[in-house]
Amino acid sequence: MSEDFTYDILTEVRRRFAEESSLDDETAERIITEAIFDDKRSIRMDDDVLSELAEKIFFKTRRRLGIISPLTEDDTVSEIMVNGPDCIFIERNGNIERYPRTFDSVEELEEIMRNIAGDVHREISEMNPVVDARLSDGSRVNGVHKNVAVGGPILTIRKFSEKYMRMSDLVANRTLTLEAAALLETLTECGYNIFVSGGTSSGKTTLLNALAEAIPPAERVIVIEDSMELKLPYIDNIVHMECRNSNSSGKGQVTISGLIKTSLRMRPDRIIVGEVRGSEVADMLQAMNTGHSGSMSTGHGNSVSGMLRRLESMYLMAVSLDINAIRAQIAEGIDIMVHVERMSAGVRKITEIVEIEGYEDGHFMLRTLMTLNQNGELEPTGNKLKNDRKLYLKGGKNAAVLRQYGFVQ
């Protein structure tokens, strides 16, 4: 099928659309089909080819995301990776596969990227070549302009299901065990500051979402994210804030760091920062160290110890302090570190749950509560939770829950 034929049909379809006073999807499909078969060149083409063309033109003309629209509606697809107009990959059920459809031009792909950015009051252009945004369903979007991406514009969409996963769902899919669920839910309820680390697509946000369900309903929660991902319908007194890039004039930027500072004036019981990537870690730790027990966040790291080193580096981006002072701030602010990994076949699993006891003689004092055994299963190490004060402040029942699993005396 020639490009000229596709272009001619698309032009004719748009002309006929313009003549309609009202246009629904059913009418649009009829017009597209008629335009194709009215063209004499269609006689020489297979029905399957013409059907594919009709579907492609429908998505190009009736859906804001064009040919990738069906992917955003497919629950089995978790990631869409557009590496230029003619190279699209998807992650389906944990496996990467190539998508057979392609965009007709760089301009078509760029227009879709501008639409996505514009919907959340952001822009992508030569002056602003990288954009982080989201779709209306909460899916996370990253776009890179063609002046930076050598092979053409890059669009990556991380999809999030409307149905958030509960802790019981994570137990069912073996992300964690019943013991780990009881431990983390109890620690969350009692106000321990928890930090979740892991690689890209390891399930950090999913775990954070599940943990937040254990927050007592009477508490006021401030949620701060780069692009809104967390779904917390079970929290009534909640404020959700999203950072914002500067406009084409270099004005209007709202950073995560700025939002954390603002949140301290909103009478929060807890602050949840979706992910820390830079200097905002200093403000997050200040919040954790100033009475906002039960605050939570996530970050990219290869292990608990690796994440602690990254936190040090990010803190240094904000303030030039003695490294021992920084480490002491981290140890005082974060009570529990949880590490998540993406295993083979797309399975996500918690690999470590570690208590930070403190910082002495140049070293973090870490107490591993759960880790993977030789069979790759998460199990208790036998170590007891040292900082049990928050357990008893919330009532003896919480300590009783952890006692039955051997986490406290």
Short mmCIF file of all heavy atoms in Angstrom, two decimals, residues 27-71:
data_model
loop_
_atom_site.label_atom_id
_atom_site.label_comp_id
_atom_site.label_asym_id
_atom_site.label_seq_id
_atom_site.Cartn_x
_atom_site.Cartn_y
_atom_site.Cartn_z
N THR A 27 -20.54 7.11 12.79
CA THR A 27 -20.57 7.85 11.52
C THR A 27 -19.18 7.97 10.94
O THR A 27 -18.96 7.84 9.72
CB THR A 27 -21.17 9.25 11.74
OG1 THR A 27 -22.47 9.13 12.31
CG2 THR A 27 -21.26 10.01 10.42
N ALA A 28 -18.19 8.21 11.79
CA ALA A 28 -16.80 8.34 11.33
C ALA A 28 -16.32 7.04 10.68
O ALA A 28 -15.68 7.07 9.61
CB ALA A 28 -15.90 8.70 12.50
N GLU A 29 -16.64 5.91 11.28
CA GLU A 29 -16.24 4.62 10.71
C GLU A 29 -16.88 4.41 9.33
O GLU A 29 -16.25 3.90 8.40
CB GLU A 29 -16.64 3.49 11.66
CG GLU A 29 -15.79 3.44 12.93
CD GLU A 29 -16.25 2.36 13.89
OE1 GLU A 29 -17.39 1.85 13.69
OE2 GLU A 29 -15.50 2.04 14.82
N ARG A 30 -18.16 4.80 9.19
CA ARG A 30 -18.85 4.65 7.90
C ARG A 30 -18.19 5.53 6.83
O ARG A 30 -17.94 5.08 5.71
CB ARG A 30 -20.33 5.03 8.06
CG ARG A 30 -21.11 5.04 6.74
CD ARG A 30 -22.55 5.45 6.94
NE ARG A 30 -22.70 6.75 7.56
CZ ARG A 30 -22.53 7.90 6.92
NH1 ARG A 30 -22.20 7.92 5.62
NH2 ARG A 30 -22.69 9.05 7.56
N ILE A 31 -17.88 6.77 7.19
CA ILE A 31 -17.26 7.68 6.23
C ILE A 31 -15.89 7.17 5.79
O ILE A 31 -15.54 7.22 4.61
CB ILE A 31 -17.14 9.09 6.84
CG1 ILE A 31 -18.52 9.72 7.00
CG2 ILE A 31 -16.24 9.99 5.99
CD1 ILE A 31 -18.51 11.04 7.74
N ILE A 32 -15.13 6.65 6.73
CA ILE A 32 -13.79 6.13 6.40
C ILE A 32 -13.91 4.95 5.44
O ILE A 32 -13.18 4.86 4.43
CB ILE A 32 -13.06 5.72 7.68
CG1 ILE A 32 -12.70 6.96 8.52
CG2 ILE A 32 -11.78 4.94 7.35
CD1 ILE A 32 -12.22 6.65 9.92
N THR A 33 -14.82 4.04 5.74
CA THR A 33 -15.01 2.87 4.87
C THR A 33 -15.44 3.29 3.47
O THR A 33 -14.93 2.76 2.45
CB THR A 33 -16.06 1.93 5.48
OG1 THR A 33 -15.63 1.53 6.79
CG2 THR A 33 -16.25 0.69 4.61
N GLU A 34 -16.37 4.22 3.38
CA GLU A 34 -16.84 4.69 2.08
C GLU A 34 -15.71 5.36 1.29
O GLU A 34 -15.58 5.16 0.07
CB GLU A 34 -18.01 5.65 2.26
CG GLU A 34 -19.28 4.98 2.76
CD GLU A 34 -20.39 5.99 3.05
OE1 GLU A 34 -20.10 7.21 2.99
OE2 GLU A 34 -21.53 5.56 3.34
N ALA A 35 -14.92 6.17 1.97
CA ALA A 35 -13.82 6.87 1.29
C ALA A 35 -12.81 5.89 0.72
O ALA A 35 -12.28 6.08 -0.39
CB ALA A 35 -13.13 7.83 2.26
N ILE A 36 -12.55 4.81 1.44
CA ILE A 36 -11.59 3.80 0.97
C ILE A 36 -12.13 3.09 -0.27
O ILE A 36 -11.45 2.95 -1.29
CB ILE A 36 -11.28 2.80 2.09
CG1 ILE A 36 -10.44 3.48 3.19
CG2 ILE A 36 -10.53 1.58 1.54
CD1 ILE A 36 -10.21 2.62 4.41
N PHE A 37 -13.39 2.64 -0.19
CA PHE A 37 -13.92 1.84 -1.30
C PHE A 37 -14.37 2.69 -2.49
O PHE A 37 -14.56 2.17 -3.59
CB PHE A 37 -15.06 0.95 -0.80
CG PHE A 37 -14.57 -0.23 0.00
CD1 PHE A 37 -14.65 -0.21 1.39
CD2 PHE A 37 -14.01 -1.33 -0.63
CE1 PHE A 37 -14.19 -1.29 2.13
CE2 PHE A 37 -13.55 -2.40 0.10
CZ PHE A 37 -13.63 -2.39 1.49
N ASP A 38 -14.53 3.99 -2.28
CA ASP A 38 -14.83 4.88 -3.40
C ASP A 38 -13.59 5.11 -4.27
O ASP A 38 -13.72 5.50 -5.45
CB ASP A 38 -15.35 6.24 -2.90
CG ASP A 38 -16.79 6.16 -2.41
OD1 ASP A 38 -17.44 5.14 -2.69
OD2 ASP A 38 -17.24 7.12 -1.74
N ASP A 39 -12.43 4.88 -3.71
CA ASP A 39 -11.19 5.03 -4.47
C ASP A 39 -10.94 3.76 -5.28
O ASP A 39 -10.87 2.65 -4.72
CB ASP A 39 -10.02 5.29 -3.50
CG ASP A 39 -8.77 5.75 -4.24
OD1 ASP A 39 -8.29 5.01 -5.11
OD2 ASP A 39 -8.27 6.86 -3.92
N LYS A 40 -10.76 3.89 -6.57
CA LYS A 40 -10.63 2.73 -7.45
C LYS A 40 -9.39 1.89 -7.15
O LYS A 40 -9.34 0.70 -7.45
CB LYS A 40 -10.60 3.18 -8.91
CG LYS A 40 -11.91 3.83 -9.37
CD LYS A 40 -11.83 4.27 -10.82
CE LYS A 40 -13.14 4.90 -11.27
NZ LYS A 40 -13.08 5.37 -12.68
N ARG A 41 -8.38 2.49 -6.54
CA ARG A 41 -7.15 1.75 -6.23
C ARG A 41 -7.38 0.66 -5.19
O ARG A 41 -6.60 -0.30 -5.09
CB ARG A 41 -6.07 2.71 -5.74
CG ARG A 41 -5.49 3.62 -6.82
CD ARG A 41 -4.59 4.69 -6.24
NE ARG A 41 -5.36 5.70 -5.50
CZ ARG A 41 -4.81 6.77 -4.93
NH1 ARG A 41 -3.49 6.95 -5.01
NH2 ARG A 41 -5.56 7.65 -4.28
N SER A 42 -8.46 0.78 -4.43
CA SER A 42 -8.73 -0.21 -3.37
C SER A 42 -9.11 -1.57 -3.94
O SER A 42 -9.01 -2.59 -3.25
CB SER A 42 -9.84 0.30 -2.46
OG SER A 42 -11.07 0.40 -3.17
N ILE A 43 -9.55 -1.59 -5.22
CA ILE A 43 -9.97 -2.86 -5.84
C ILE A 43 -8.81 -3.84 -5.88
O ILE A 43 -8.99 -5.06 -5.78
CB ILE A 43 -10.52 -2.59 -7.26
CG1 ILE A 43 -11.75 -1.67 -7.17
CG2 ILE A 43 -10.86 -3.89 -7.96
CD1 ILE A 43 -12.28 -1.25 -8.54
N ARG A 44 -7.60 -3.33 -6.02
CA ARG A 44 -6.43 -4.21 -6.16
C ARG A 44 -5.82 -4.62 -4.82
O ARG A 44 -4.78 -5.28 -4.80
CB ARG A 44 -5.36 -3.49 -7.00
CG ARG A 44 -5.84 -3.08 -8.39
CD ARG A 44 -4.69 -2.58 -9.24
NE ARG A 44 -4.05 -1.39 -8.69
CZ ARG A 44 -4.44 -0.15 -8.97
NH1 ARG A 44 -5.48 0.05 -9.79
NH2 ARG A 44 -3.82 0.89 -8.44
N MET A 45 -6.46 -4.27 -3.74
CA MET A 45 -5.88 -4.53 -2.42
C MET A 45 -6.68 -5.57 -1.66
O MET A 45 -7.90 -5.69 -1.82
CB MET A 45 -5.81 -3.24 -1.61
CG MET A 45 -4.92 -2.17 -2.25
SD MET A 45 -4.89 -0.66 -1.27
CE MET A 45 -3.89 0.40 -2.31
N ASP A 46 -5.98 -6.31 -0.79
CA ASP A 46 -6.63 -7.33 0.04
C ASP A 46 -7.52 -6.67 1.09
O ASP A 46 -7.25 -5.56 1.55
CB ASP A 46 -5.59 -8.19 0.75
CG ASP A 46 -4.77 -9.03 -0.22
OD1 ASP A 46 -5.28 -9.29 -1.32
OD2 ASP A 46 -3.63 -9.40 0.14
N ASP A 47 -8.57 -7.41 1.49
CA ASP A 47 -9.49 -6.89 2.50
C ASP A 47 -8.78 -6.62 3.83
O ASP A 47 -9.09 -5.65 4.53
CB ASP A 47 -10.63 -7.88 2.72
CG ASP A 47 -11.60 -7.91 1.54
OD1 ASP A 47 -11.55 -6.98 0.71
OD2 ASP A 47 -12.39 -8.87 1.45
N ASP A 48 -7.82 -7.49 4.18
CA ASP A 48 -7.10 -7.31 5.45
C ASP A 48 -6.31 -6.01 5.45
O ASP A 48 -6.26 -5.30 6.46
CB ASP A 48 -6.15 -8.49 5.71
CG ASP A 48 -6.89 -9.77 6.03
OD1 ASP A 48 -8.09 -9.69 6.35
OD2 ASP A 48 -6.27 -10.86 5.96
N VAL A 49 -5.71 -5.68 4.32
CA VAL A 49 -4.93 -4.45 4.20
C VAL A 49 -5.85 -3.23 4.32
O VAL A 49 -5.53 -2.25 5.02
CB VAL A 49 -4.17 -4.41 2.86
CG1 VAL A 49 -3.49 -3.05 2.66
CG2 VAL A 49 -3.14 -5.53 2.81
N LEU A 50 -7.00 -3.30 3.65
CA LEU A 50 -7.94 -2.18 3.71
C LEU A 50 -8.54 -2.02 5.11
O LEU A 50 -8.77 -0.90 5.57
CB LEU A 50 -9.05 -2.39 2.68
CG LEU A 50 -8.60 -2.41 1.21
CD1 LEU A 50 -9.79 -2.70 0.30
CD2 LEU A 50 -7.96 -1.07 0.83
N SER A 51 -8.79 -3.15 5.78
CA SER A 51 -9.32 -3.10 7.14
C SER A 51 -8.31 -2.45 8.09
O SER A 51 -8.67 -1.63 8.95
CB SER A 51 -9.66 -4.51 7.62
OG SER A 51 -10.12 -4.49 8.96
N GLU A 52 -7.04 -2.81 7.91
CA GLU A 52 -5.97 -2.21 8.72
C GLU A 52 -5.87 -0.71 8.46
O GLU A 52 -5.70 0.09 9.39
CB GLU A 52 -4.64 -2.90 8.40
CG GLU A 52 -3.42 -2.27 9.05
CD GLU A 52 -3.35 -2.51 10.54
OE1 GLU A 52 -4.06 -3.42 11.03
OE2 GLU A 52 -2.60 -1.79 11.21
N LEU A 53 -6.00 -0.32 7.20
CA LEU A 53 -5.94 1.10 6.86
C LEU A 53 -7.11 1.86 7.48
O LEU A 53 -6.93 2.96 8.03
CB LEU A 53 -5.97 1.27 5.34
CG LEU A 53 -6.07 2.72 4.83
CD1 LEU A 53 -4.85 3.51 5.28
CD2 LEU A 53 -6.19 2.73 3.30
N ALA A 54 -8.30 1.28 7.42
CA ALA A 54 -9.49 1.94 7.99
C ALA A 54 -9.31 2.16 9.50
O ALA A 54 -9.64 3.24 10.03
CB ALA A 54 -10.73 1.10 7.71
N GLU A 55 -8.80 1.15 10.16
CA GLU A 55 -8.60 1.26 11.61
C GLU A 55 -7.54 2.31 11.94
O GLU A 55 -7.70 3.10 12.88
CB GLU A 55 -8.19 -0.10 12.17
CG GLU A 55 -8.26 -0.19 13.69
CD GLU A 55 -8.01 -1.59 14.19
OE1 GLU A 55 -6.96 -2.16 13.84
OE2 GLU A 55 -8.86 -2.12 14.93
N LYS A 56 -6.46 2.32 11.15
CA LYS A 56 -5.39 3.29 11.37
C LYS A 56 -5.89 4.72 11.18
O LYS A 56 -5.60 5.61 11.99
CB LYS A 56 -4.24 3.01 10.41
CG LYS A 56 -3.04 3.92 10.56
CD LYS A 56 -1.93 3.51 9.62
CE LYS A 56 -0.70 4.39 9.80
NZ LYS A 56 0.42 3.98 8.90
N ILE A 57 -6.66 4.95 10.12
CA ILE A 57 -7.18 6.29 9.86
C ILE A 57 -8.17 6.71 10.95
O ILE A 57 -8.22 7.87 11.36
CB ILE A 57 -7.84 6.35 8.46
CG1 ILE A 57 -6.74 6.27 7.39
CG2 ILE A 57 -8.65 7.63 8.30
CD1 ILE A 57 -7.28 6.25 5.98
N PHE A 58 -8.95 5.74 11.44
CA PHE A 58 -9.90 6.05 12.52
C PHE A 58 -9.17 6.59 13.74
O PHE A 58 -9.55 7.61 14.32
CB PHE A 58 -10.71 4.81 12.88
CG PHE A 58 -11.62 5.02 14.06
CD1 PHE A 58 -12.85 5.64 13.89
CD2 PHE A 58 -11.24 4.62 15.33
CE1 PHE A 58 -13.70 5.86 14.99
CE2 PHE A 58 -12.07 4.83 16.43
CZ PHE A 58 -13.30 5.44 16.25
N PHE A 59 -8.09 5.90 14.15
CA PHE A 59 -7.36 6.33 15.34
C PHE A 59 -6.62 7.65 15.10
O PHE A 59 -6.52 8.49 15.99
CB PHE A 59 -6.38 5.25 15.79
CG PHE A 59 -7.05 4.07 16.45
CD1 PHE A 59 -6.96 2.80 15.90
CD2 PHE A 59 -7.78 4.24 17.61
CE1 PHE A 59 -7.58 1.73 16.50
CE2 PHE A 59 -8.42 3.17 18.22
CZ PHE A 59 -8.32 1.91 17.67
N LYS A 60 -6.14 7.84 13.87
CA LYS A 60 -5.43 9.08 13.55
C LYS A 60 -6.37 10.28 13.60
O LYS A 60 -5.96 11.39 13.97
CB LYS A 60 -4.80 8.99 12.16
CG LYS A 60 -3.54 8.14 12.09
CD LYS A 60 -3.11 7.88 10.66
CE LYS A 60 -2.65 9.14 9.97
NZ LYS A 60 -1.35 9.62 10.47
N THR A 61 -7.61 10.08 13.23
CA THR A 61 -8.55 11.21 13.12
C THR A 61 -9.50 11.35 14.30
O THR A 61 -10.05 12.43 14.51
CB THR A 61 -9.39 11.07 11.84
OG1 THR A 61 -10.07 9.79 11.83
CG2 THR A 61 -8.52 11.17 10.59
N ARG A 62 -9.68 10.28 15.08
CA ARG A 62 -10.69 10.31 16.14
C ARG A 62 -10.13 10.15 17.55
O ARG A 62 -10.87 10.21 18.51
CB ARG A 62 -11.73 9.21 15.89
CG ARG A 62 -12.51 9.37 14.59
CD ARG A 62 -13.45 10.55 14.67
NE ARG A 62 -14.51 10.32 15.65
CZ ARG A 62 -15.37 11.25 16.03
NH1 ARG A 62 -15.26 12.49 15.56
NH2 ARG A 62 -16.31 10.99 16.92
N ARG A 63 -8.85 9.89 17.69
CA ARG A 63 -8.26 9.70 19.00
C ARG A 63 -7.02 10.58 19.16
O ARG A 63 -6.17 10.61 18.28
CB ARG A 63 -7.88 8.23 19.23
CG ARG A 63 -9.05 7.26 19.21
CD ARG A 63 -9.95 7.49 20.43
NE ARG A 63 -11.05 6.54 20.49
CZ ARG A 63 -12.26 6.74 20.00
NH1 ARG A 63 -12.53 7.89 19.37
NH2 ARG A 63 -13.21 5.84 20.11
N ARG A 64 -6.91 11.26 20.31
CA ARG A 64 -5.81 12.21 20.53
C ARG A 64 -4.45 11.54 20.52
O ARG A 64 -3.44 12.17 20.21
CB ARG A 64 -6.02 12.93 21.86
CG ARG A 64 -7.07 14.03 21.79
CD ARG A 64 -7.34 14.64 23.15
NE ARG A 64 -6.18 15.28 23.75
CZ ARG A 64 -5.74 16.49 23.45
NH1 ARG A 64 -6.37 17.20 22.53
NH2 ARG A 64 -4.71 17.01 24.07
N LEU A 65 -4.40 10.26 20.87
CA LEU A 65 -3.11 9.56 20.89
C LEU A 65 -2.87 8.74 19.64
O LEU A 65 -1.93 7.94 19.57
CB LEU A 65 -3.02 8.67 22.14
CG LEU A 65 -3.09 9.39 23.49
CD1 LEU A 65 -2.84 8.42 24.63
CD2 LEU A 65 -2.11 10.54 23.57
N GLY A 66 -3.71 8.90 18.64
CA GLY A 66 -3.49 8.26 17.36
C GLY A 66 -3.40 6.75 17.44
O GLY A 66 -4.18 6.10 18.15
N ILE A 67 -2.41 6.18 16.76
CA ILE A 67 -2.32 4.72 16.64
C ILE A 67 -1.98 4.01 17.93
O ILE A 67 -2.14 2.78 18.03
CB ILE A 67 -1.29 4.33 15.56
CG1 ILE A 67 0.10 4.85 15.95
CG2 ILE A 67 -1.71 4.82 14.19
CD1 ILE A 67 1.22 4.25 15.13
N ILE A 68 -1.49 4.73 18.94
CA ILE A 68 -1.19 4.06 20.21
C ILE A 68 -2.39 4.09 21.16
O ILE A 68 -2.30 3.56 22.27
CB ILE A 68 0.05 4.66 20.90
CG1 ILE A 68 -0.16 6.14 21.23
CG2 ILE A 68 1.29 4.45 20.05
CD1 ILE A 68 0.97 6.73 22.05
N SER A 69 -3.50 4.68 20.74
CA SER A 69 -4.69 4.72 21.59
C SER A 69 -5.16 3.33 22.03
O SER A 69 -5.50 3.14 23.19
CB SER A 69 -5.84 5.44 20.86
OG SER A 69 -5.54 6.81 20.72
N PRO A 70 -5.19 2.32 21.12
CA PRO A 70 -5.62 1.00 21.58
C PRO A 70 -4.73 0.44 22.68
O PRO A 70 -5.19 -0.31 23.54
CB PRO A 70 -5.51 0.14 20.31
CG PRO A 70 -5.54 1.09 19.18
CD PRO A 70 -4.88 2.33 19.67
N LEU A 71 -3.45 0.81 22.68
CA LEU A 71 -2.53 0.31 23.69
C LEU A 71 -2.85 0.90 25.06
O LEU A 71 -2.70 0.22 26.08
CB LEU A 71 -1.08 0.65 23.30
CG LEU A 71 -0.59 0.07 21.98
CD1 LEU A 71 0.82 0.56 21.66
CD2 LEU A 71 -0.61 -1.46 22.03
#
